[in-house]
């Protein structure tokens, strides 16, 4: 029996009813709240920043999984810790001193995540995997919700799983982008531990039931 986690991405929520949508996740079978912060520089889109996260944190009762799509994330590590982030994920492509960044995230009391863009291969993590709590494999190009899943992701999940096993690491594998009931099961079979789902959950008629069915489909 898999204990794969589901992390609805609030990027696809109704921002006019954010409290309602956060509370829906609280009461659902979802495990984490996935929160996408975009700066318009690292990715060609701006989502929301600290004041909105502060309000999400006020209502959220589950793990706050914060995904930073920003340049130079080191500047804000302590800010995100103060705002209540449980996990802080930075992009491999945005961190020239990744080892230092991960240590700073952990020193601030959070789990340290590293996200990989679709073009970044798993072997870049060979010398750092044991220091990473979560690797987030981007299965779309970061910046927008509602894009189609990139099929090469399965190969990457298997390669990452093999790397984790070979180094005896405890790293979790998260998949972000285009996750639906069509690919969830295969992703779990390849080794995924956490599935992020934005549009599939929030654009459905009944998000609570969608989460329940997605969870059931991978159990
Ligand atoms: C994309 C974000 C994702 C996004 C996923 O840049 O990191 O978390 O919200 O949305 P869907 O599930 O709609 O692809
Ligand atoms: Zn994300």
């Amino acid at each position: 029996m898999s204990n794969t986690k589901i992390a609805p991405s609030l990027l696809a929520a109704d921002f006019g009813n954010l409290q309602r949508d956060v509370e829906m996740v609280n009461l659902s079978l979802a495990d984490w709240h996935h929160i996408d912060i975009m700066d318009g520089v690292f990715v060609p889109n701006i989502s929301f920043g600290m004041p909105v996260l502060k309000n999400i944190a006020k209502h959220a009762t589950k793990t706050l999984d914060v995904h930073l799509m920003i340049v130079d994330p080191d500047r804000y590590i302590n800010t995100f810790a103060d705002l209540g982030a449980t996990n802080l994920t930075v992009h491999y492509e945005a961190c020239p001193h990744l080892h230092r960044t991960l240590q700073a995230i952990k020193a601030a009391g959070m789990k340290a995540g590293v996200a990989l863009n679709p073009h970044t291969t798993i072997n870049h993590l060979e010398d750092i995997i044991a220091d990473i709590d979560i690797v987030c494999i981007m299965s779309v190009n970061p910046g927008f919700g509602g894009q189609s899943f990139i099929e090469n992701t399965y190969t990457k999940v298997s390669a990452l799983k093999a790397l984790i096993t070979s180094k005896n690491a405890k790293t979790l594998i998260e998949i972000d982008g285009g996750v639906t009931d069509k690919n969830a099961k295969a992703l779990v079979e390849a080794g995924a531990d956490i599935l992020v789902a934005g549009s599939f959950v929030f654009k459905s008629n009944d998000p609570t039931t969608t989460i329940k069915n997605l969870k059931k489909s991978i159990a």
Side-chain angles (χ1 to χ4, degrees):
M1 160 132 185
S2 110
N3 56 356
T4 309
K5 296 180 181 354
I6 304 289
S9 169
L10 281 176
L11 188 65
D14 175 357
F15 288 172
N17 289 289
L18 205 44
Q19 180 179 348
R20 180 199 68 191
D21 285 358
V22 169
E23 285 168 353
M24 181 282 293
V25 175
N26 288 345
L27 296 173
S28 76
L29 289 181
D31 301 274
W32 292 359
H33 303 268
H34 183 84
I35 295 155
D36 292 301
I37 310 277
M38 306 176 184
D39 67 354
V41 180
F42 181 69
V43 288
N45 194 15
I46 299 175
S47 54
F48 52 79
M50 285 74 169
V52 173
L53 176 56
K54 192 174 176 178
N55 280 283
I56 292 170
K58 205 157 74 187
H59 300 291
T61 55
K62 298 178 176 176
T63 291
L64 286 187
D65 184 45
V66 177
H67 175 193
L68 298 184
M69 284 158 273
I70 68 174
V71 295
D72 201 1
D74 301 56
R75 291 172 295 169
Y76 301 114
I77 289 172
N78 289 321
T79 306
F80 283 108
D82 292 345
L83 285 167
T86 323
N87 309 332
L88 195 65
T89 294
V90 295
H91 264 263
Y92 175 86
E93 301 81 8
C95 296
H97 303 286
L98 185 60
H99 185 273
R100 181 186 293 151
T101 303
L102 297 178
Q103 303 313 315
I105 292 172
K106 291 185 203 176
M110 297 174 287
K111 298 271 184 213
V114 176
L116 300 183
N117 276 344
H119 74 276
T120 304
T121 50
I122 296 299
N123 61 305
H124 290 291
L125 300 180
E126 239 171 71
D127 290 331
I128 189 101
I129 192 72
D131 296 291
I132 309 176
D133 295 308
I134 303 155
V135 173
C136 177
I137 296 183
M138 293 307 303
S139 37
V140 297
N141 283 293
F144 302 92
Q147 303 179 80
S148 342
F149 181 82
I150 296 172
E151 295 289 324
N152 184 52
T153 305
Y154 298 115
T155 314
K156 284 179 87 165
V157 178
S158 306
L160 177 56
K161 187 78 191 169
L163 175 63
I164 292 168
T165 307
S166 76
K167 302 277 186 183
N168 234 330
K170 304 250 177 312
T171 317
L172 298 176
I173 302 176
E174 179 174 42
I175 312 298
D176 189 6
V179 171
T180 68
D181 56 355
K182 304 275 180 297
N183 48 34
K185 182 100 188 144
L187 286 167
V188 172
E189 281 166 3
D193 300 293
I194 306 119
L195 300 178
V196 175
S199 314
F200 182 67
V201 167
F202 284 103
K203 308 296 183 211
S204 70
N205 288 334
D206 179 354
T208 305
T209 304
T210 302
I211 292 168
K212 186 168 83 183
N213 291 340
L214 192 58
K215 190 103 188 169
K216 212 190 307 168
S217 77
I218 55 173

